[in-house]
C-alpha cells in the first residue's frame, strides 16, 4: 500500500459480539506497520500503523449507533475508506450508508508497507492471532478511497456481486496447518 489512500470492503456475517474479529490484516510486528480491518465487540474498526505508532478507529454505540452494530447473524456490507492526507478522510460504511463520524487518519502518514503476509479472516499471529468466526464474501482492497457512491453501488449489487461472470477455481493446497488441515480450496462466485 505504501503511502496511498485505501479502501477495504467485504460482505460479513457473524454473531460474535465480543473481542476482536479480524477481516483483513496486513501488519508486520517489528515494527508494527500496516493496516487491519476488523470488528471490535461487533462494530467495524480499523487500524493504521506506521513505525510502531498506531491509531485505532472504532465505531460503537455512541459513535455509529445501532446501524453500526453488525454481529447479528445477518449479512452486511462493511467498508472503510481512507483518504490519508485529509483530516476528515476516514469513513466507515455499513450496508451502503456512512455510519459514525469521519475520522482523522493524518497522524499516521508514511508507508503502510510491510513484509507481513496479507491475511484474510485471520489476525497476525505475532499480534495476538485468532480467526474470523463467521462468513466472509467478496473481500476487496483498493489503493484509493472509494466514494460513498462507489460503496452504494457495491451494496446495490447485492447477491449479484462485483463480478457478474461465473468463475470456479480449485487448487490442492494445505490450509490451516495444525487445525484439521484441508487438502484443497475452492473459490467460486456462485452456489454449488
Amino acid at each position: 500500500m505504501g503511502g496511498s489512500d485505501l479502501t477495504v470492503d467485504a460482505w460479513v456475517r457473524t454473531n460474535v459480539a465480543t473481542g476482536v474479529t479480524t477481516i483483513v490484516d496486513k501488519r508486520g510486528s517489528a515494527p508494527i506497520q500496516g493496516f487491519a480491518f476488523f470488528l471490535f465487540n461487533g462494530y467495524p474498526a480499523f487500524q493504521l500503523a506506521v513505525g510502531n505508532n498506531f491509531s485505532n478507529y472504532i465505531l460503537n454505540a455512541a459513535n455509529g449507533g445501532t446501524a453500526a452494530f453488525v454481529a447479528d447473524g445477518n449479512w452486511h456490507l462493511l467498508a472503510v475508506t481512507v483518504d490519508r492526507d485529509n483530516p476528515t478522510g476516514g469513513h466507515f460504511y455499513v450496508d451502503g450508508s456512512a455510519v459514525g463520524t469521519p475520522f482523522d487518519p493524518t497522524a499516521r502518514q508514511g508507508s503502510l508497507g510491510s513484509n507481513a503476509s496479507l491475511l484474510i479472516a485471520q489476525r497476525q499471529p505475532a499480534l495476538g492471532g485468532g480467526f474470523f468466526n463467521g462468513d466472509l464474501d467478496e473481500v476487496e482492497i483498493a489503493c484509493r478511497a472509494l466514494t460513498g457512491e462507489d460503496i452504494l453501488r457495491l451494496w446495490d449489487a447485492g447477491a449479484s456481486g462485483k463480478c457478474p461472470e461465473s468463475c470456479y477455481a480449485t487448487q490442492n493446497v494445505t490450509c490451516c496447518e495444525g487445525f484439521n488441515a484441508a487438502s484443497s480450496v475452492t473459490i467460486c462466485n456462485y452456489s454449488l
Side-chain angles (χ1 to χ4, degrees):
M1 297 304 296
S4 72
D5 297 339
L6 68 145
T7 298
V8 184
D9 65 80
W11 285 91
V12 174
R13 180 173 59 182
T14 187
N15 58 12
V16 176
T18 58
V20 174
T21 307
T22 302
I23 300 166
V24 172
D25 195 344
K26 177 65 170 125
R27 297 174 298 159
S29 60
I32 298 176
Q33 181 94 7
F35 64 94
F37 188 37
F38 54 101
L39 299 179
F40 183 74
N41 293 336
Y43 290 88
F46 186 71
Q47 183 183 86
L48 283 173
V50 178
N52 267 346
N53 295 306
F54 57 89
S55 296
N56 290 315
Y57 310 99
I58 301 171
L59 292 177
N60 55 39
N63 176 24
T66 58
F69 184 79
V70 298
D72 59 7
N74 296 310
W75 281 105
H76 295 280
L77 175 67
L78 305 184
V80 61
T81 64
V82 186
D83 179 347
R84 294 188 61 209
D85 61 358
N86 181 341
T88 58
H91 300 272
F92 286 103
Y93 295 85
V94 174
D95 297 337
S97 298
V99 291
T101 56
F103 62 85
D104 181 358
T106 61
R108 299 295 165 242
Q109 295 297 310
S111 177
L112 296 174
S114 77
N115 291 329
S117 297
L118 172 66
L119 299 180
I120 297 174
Q122 180 182 0
R123 190 174 184 190
Q124 294 289 346
L127 297 172
F131 295 92
F132 186 85
N133 187 351
D135 300 305
L136 296 174
D137 194 18
E138 294 191 338
V139 177
E140 176 178 56
I141 302 169
C143 292
R144 68 180 181 94
L146 296 179
T147 66
E149 292 81 20
D150 293 331
I151 302 298
L152 185 57
R153 277 194 294 278
L154 294 175
W155 168 250
D156 286 342
S160 298
K162 299 171 200 145
C163 181
E165 297 85 19
S166 293
C167 67
Y168 183 89
T170 299
Q171 181 178 4
N172 290 322
V173 295
T174 300
C175 297
C176 305
E177 194 167 319
F179 295 95
N180 297 326
S183 61
S184 68
V185 173
T186 301
I187 301 171
C188 66
N189 66 347
Y190 58 93
S191 297
L192 293 176

